[in-house]
Amino acid sequence: MPHTVELLAVGTELLLGNIVNTDAQMLSQGLSDLGLNVYYHTVVGDNPERLRQAVTVAKSRADIIITTGGLGPTCDDLTKVVLSEAFGKKLVFDERSADRIRAYFARLERPMSENNLQQAMLPEGCTVFDNDWGTAPACAFEADGKHVILLPGPPRECTALFRNRVVPYLRGLAEGIILSHTLKIFGMGESALEAMLRDRMNAMENPTLAPYAKEGECELRITAKAGTEAQAEALLAPVCEELCQLLGDKVYGMDVPNLESVVLDLLKKTDKTLGTAESCTGGLIAKRMTDLPGASQVFHGGIVSYVNQVKANVLGVPQDLLDQYGAVSAPVAQAMAQGARKALGTDLAVAVTGVAGPTPDDRGNEVGLVYVALAQEGGVQVETLHCGTIRARTRTVAASHALNMVRLALQGN
Amino acid sequence: MPHTVELLAVGTELLLGNIVNTDAQMLSQGLSDLGLNVYYHTVVGDNPERLRQAVTVAKSRADIIITTGGLGPTCDDLTKVVLSEAFGKKLVFDERSADRIRAYFARLERPMSENNLQQAMLPEGCTVFDNDWGTAPACAFEADGKHVILLPGPPRECTALFRNRVVPYLRGLAEGIILSHTLKIFGMGESALEAMLRDRMNAMENPTLAPYAKEGECELRITAKAGTEAQAEALLAPVCEELCQLLGDKVYGMDVPNLESVVLDLLKKTDKTLGTAESCTGGLIAKRMTDLPGASQVFHGGIVSYVNQVKANVLGVPQDLLDQYGAVSAPVAQAMAQGARKALGTDLAVAVTGVAGPTPDDRGNEVGLVYVALAQEGGVQVETLHCGTIRARTRTVAASHALNMVRLALQGN
């Protein structure tokens, strides 16, 4: 199987900085999961001559070239024209793709212009990847000993086509298959995780382990190569189990998107409802819960109490607690959680109060000091965090910590 | 002045997809503001041989090469070593940079390891860019008719060094200067904006106009070239004024970061307070307001009423309104805004209720239907939006629309 990949993004909007090349990140992650080495990303504008030069360079140093962008109807299909030419392929009209494009417009009840059918011109003999997420068909061809894959630029289309069409295609090129599981970890830094696993990581060959840091979280990717999916799974299972045992409840899920989705699933499974009371996170926890479709089944809502008056009047935090301990304190966090549980009528409520910064609060509490409280039947617990001095990071970490407390409480049930 | 730029990012973490190349976006925007043409972005891993090849390619096609990353103490200063070698420069120890690194660690009261001083090795004869945001000094040199600029990878350091050190350096290379203003526009699509301005854009040479689309918003960048800043400003002023007149209250600000910051400033200026009641946006408006330091002066908080029970109990929406019109309706949006204004004790309150999707609500309201209401002394107004079928976009557009209603109300005062 060919092993080295170059990603070639085509789009002047990238060179102007109007958009960021998130396709490159998504593809790089996916390709690395397949055991392929991405050696270069190149970005070039909507300019045939410079694209031609970039293709020449890519051809000289990669086995697989994956392009993103330049497949739209308005830009003369720049990418297809240049890549086909560079590999000596003619563009031919693909009737099936044309039918799919016509059907796409009919489904949306939108008029189709003739140039949309230009998108059905494809390199002769290519493998067509049906695009169920837009109009531009993606495709792959082999020529001059190289594999060329053309994908549309819009991230939603690019991601869906890669996962559903390109990954199986690339697996088909390989002799065996490569399979990964990802453990999602909260409450442990990447360096601590790496120190704990270093000897194991160095000793392992198949599967392999790789830790990654995300904002305030870690991931541990376990990857196995084998002849079949079942064999790869058999290699992965005992390692995943051992790591889960080792890391205990720091692992909040395997192959799950994020903490909030785990919390949502647990709430549904245990038939519990959740509410929030947020001061320094200012709605971020509620926003993350409601990013998920279907949250309204179990997430009642939240109260953003950014000033004391709202803490007292809406959440019912006793004024003497606010006077005595200040808004950023464990007793107030507890009262906020209990008040939210009552006001929102939920089984659980989580509350956050802290100093997001950039300056300490009027009582001199340091930037990054945060209290998180969880109220449920039978009581309320509170935890103290020191999140550092970066405002956005403090808010993210505090929100994640709150969600993680909910997760642990629900798993304890 | 040299005109074409290649950005060369060095870092295996980019090729693995662990991080996204936001430096490239930031630099591309800044360079395009300076009137420089970025023709290529290249990303290469921490591999000397492949970096060497990438430098050879960049040298053949760009006047200015700007590298990001690979200046840390742990990766053997890969970027500096390879770039210096490629341009026949020796690395020499820069005593002043070494002193700054020692002082940096002393200030943080952290021990310094000897390899940190490796960062003071710099290409001979280079211009040193003092790094007040980290330890790695950045630098620029000229050789073989090319300009080479080396920047650290961490976005915070890279951005600060670029804005404060590199922009003045590049301006110094030019004969005149280039100055831009950006009008931020809400309530008008990019294509409508382009159609309105097309003739003008084609007729203009200095200043020039360029529209950009952001999620649910537009920007219009006006750029002038002149001998001095005052001359550039004199070219820009009448054009900006004319465009502001033409676009009227669609322009929410010039050279401002976002809608929420404009709302925050207006609230402070008019000495008014704001609260929110959010259903389908689920806390996003409150989150955006509290992204901004100092919001607590004027933003009291919000209520996320994701279920009817919270709309009735916390916001005081009459049950018969909910029964008769359903949660997604103009009367309920109005009652939510009025209820939030009362519960939160604010001058203004904005409320959002709608169908974020992916499926229509139980009354058959289409996905993307949203009502936004604004309550203030003297009454409540409500507007109806159709935001389309993408959940995240609907939430962003609805939140922006709500913030824009607040802006217009405050500007009317």
Side-chain angles (χ1 to χ4, degrees), chain A residues 18 41 43 212 290 302 304 391, chain B residues 18 41 43 212 290 302 304 391:
Chain A
N18 294 339
H41 299 171
V43 180
Y212 301 95
T290 59
V304 180
R391 183 177 174 89
Chain B
N18 294 338
H41 299 172
V43 180
Y212 302 96
T290 60
V304 179
R391 183 178 175 89

Side-chain angles (χ1 to χ4, degrees), chain B residues 9-41:
Chain B
V10 184
T12 302
E13 66 276 26
L14 288 160
L15 296 181
L16 289 171
N18 294 338
I19 55 174
V20 65
N21 193 5
T22 52
D23 286 341
Q25 181 180 34
M26 182 274 299
L27 292 171
S28 294
Q29 281 177 351
L31 293 162
S32 123
D33 284 346
L34 290 172
L36 293 166
N37 298 314
V38 180
Y39 279 166
Y40 297 95
H41 299 172

Side-chain angles (χ1 to χ4, degrees), chain A residues 15 17-18 25 28-29 38 40-43 50 212 282 286-287 290-291 300-302 304 306-307 309 391 395, chain B residues 15 17-18 25 28-29 38 40-43 212 282 286-287 290-292 300-302 304 306-307 309 391 395:
Chain A
L15 296 181
N18 294 339
Q25 181 180 32
S28 293
Q29 281 176 352
V38 179
Y40 297 95
H41 299 171
T42 301
V43 180
R50 285 193 286 276
Y212 301 95
K287 186 256 174 202
T290 59
D291 280 341
H300 280 199
V304 180
Y306 217 55
V307 296
Q309 181 191 336
R391 183 177 174 89
R395 284 159 52 96
Chain B
L15 296 181
N18 294 338
Q25 181 180 34
S28 294
Q29 281 177 351
V38 180
Y40 297 95
H41 299 172
T42 301
V43 180
Y212 302 96
K287 186 257 175 202
T290 60
D291 279 341
L292 308 168
H300 280 200
V304 179
Y306 218 55
V307 297
Q309 179 191 337
R391 183 178 175 89
R395 284 160 50 96

Side-chain angles (χ1 to χ4, degrees), chain B residues 279-400:
Chain B
S279 188
C280 67
T281 48
L284 178 57
I285 304 173
K287 186 257 175 202
R288 282 171 61 175
M289 285 305 300
T290 60
D291 279 341
L292 308 168
S296 61
Q297 281 174 52
V298 291
F299 181 71
H300 280 200
I303 290 155
V304 179
S305 55
Y306 218 55
V307 297
N308 282 355
Q309 179 191 337
V310 175
K311 291 185 184 74
N313 296 347
V314 185
L315 288 170
V317 176
Q319 189 60 48
D320 62 336
L321 280 189
L322 289 164
D323 293 341
Q324 190 179 346
Y325 300 102
V328 178
S329 64
V332 167
Q334 288 173 300
M336 285 170 66
Q338 288 168 313
R341 184 166 177 260
K342 197 170 153 202
L344 302 167
T346 53
D347 297 309
L348 295 98
V350 71
V352 179
T353 180
V355 187
T359 48
D361 72 357
D362 51 7
R363 293 199 177 217
N365 287 310
E366 54 166 345
V367 174
L369 174 68
V370 177
Y371 296 93
V372 185
L374 176 69
Q376 52 185 322
E377 204 186 344
V380 57
Q381 59 185 116
V382 65
E383 296 181 1
T384 309
L385 316 180
H386 300 272
C387 301
T389 58
I390 300 165
R391 183 178 175 89
R393 196 186 139 83
T394 291
R395 284 160 50 96
T396 302
V397 170
S400 296

Side-chain angles (χ1 to χ4, degrees), chain B residues 116-324:
Chain B
N116 282 108
L117 285 183
Q118 283 295 323
Q119 297 188 309
M121 295 293 291
L122 293 173
E124 53 178 346
C126 70
T127 302
V128 182
F129 298 132
D130 288 346
N131 183 348
D132 288 332
W133 307 271
T135 58
C139 66
F141 63 82
E142 239 188 290
D144 305 342
K146 307 287 175 182
H147 291 267
V148 179
I149 297 172
L150 309 182
L151 292 172
R156 210 173 62 94
E157 288 182 57
C158 185
T159 304
L161 279 160
F162 178 73
R163 298 216 173 123
N164 296 293
R165 310 276 187 259
V166 177
V167 167
Y169 173 85
L170 289 171
R171 287 220 170 104
L173 299 181
E175 276 161 35
I177 77 128
I178 288 165
L179 205 66
S180 290
H181 288 312
T182 301
L183 299 183
K184 305 276 253 186
I185 295 158
F186 185 82
M188 189 173 198
E190 191 201 8
S191 50
L193 183 65
E194 208 166 352
M196 183 192 249
L197 300 175
R198 190 170 298 130
D199 293 344
R200 203 176 298 246
M201 278 160 61
N202 291 338
M204 286 171 72
E205 284 189 352
N206 188 24
T208 56
L209 291 187
Y212 302 96
K214 304 262 146 150
E215 184 141 281
E217 301 189 16
C218 284
E219 290 183 9
L220 190 58
R221 200 180 294 161
I222 308 112
T223 305
K225 306 189 188 197
T228 66
E229 194 168 326
Q231 288 166 352
E233 199 57 80
L235 288 168
L236 290 172
V239 178
C240 291
E241 205 184 299
E242 195 198 334
L243 289 166
C244 283
Q245 290 226 335
L246 186 70
L247 296 164
D249 63 12
K250 297 269 191 287
V251 177
Y252 69 79
M254 185 167 90
D255 303 327
V256 293
N258 47 42
L259 262 169
E260 46 269 34
S261 67
V262 172
V263 168
L264 181 62
D265 286 348
L266 284 168
L267 287 167
K268 286 181 181 169
K269 209 173 291 171
T270 56
D271 200 23
K272 301 272 186 195
T273 55
L274 177 67
T276 55
E278 304 186 59
S279 188
C280 67
T281 48
L284 178 57
I285 304 173
K287 186 257 175 202
R288 282 171 61 175
M289 285 305 300
T290 60
D291 279 341
L292 308 168
S296 61
Q297 281 174 52
V298 291
F299 181 71
H300 280 200
I303 290 155
V304 179
S305 55
Y306 218 55
V307 297
N308 282 355
Q309 179 191 337
V310 175
K311 291 185 184 74
N313 296 347
V314 185
L315 288 170
V317 176
Q319 189 60 48
D320 62 336
L321 280 189
L322 289 164
D323 293 341
Q324 190 179 346

Side-chain angles (χ1 to χ4, degrees), chain A residues 340-378:
Chain A
R341 184 167 178 260
K342 198 169 152 203
L344 302 167
T346 53
D347 297 308
L348 295 97
V350 72
V352 179
T353 180
V355 187
T359 48
D361 71 358
D362 50 8
R363 296 199 175 217
N365 286 310
E366 53 165 344
V367 173
L369 174 68
V370 177
Y371 295 94
V372 186
L374 176 69
Q376 52 186 321
E377 204 188 343

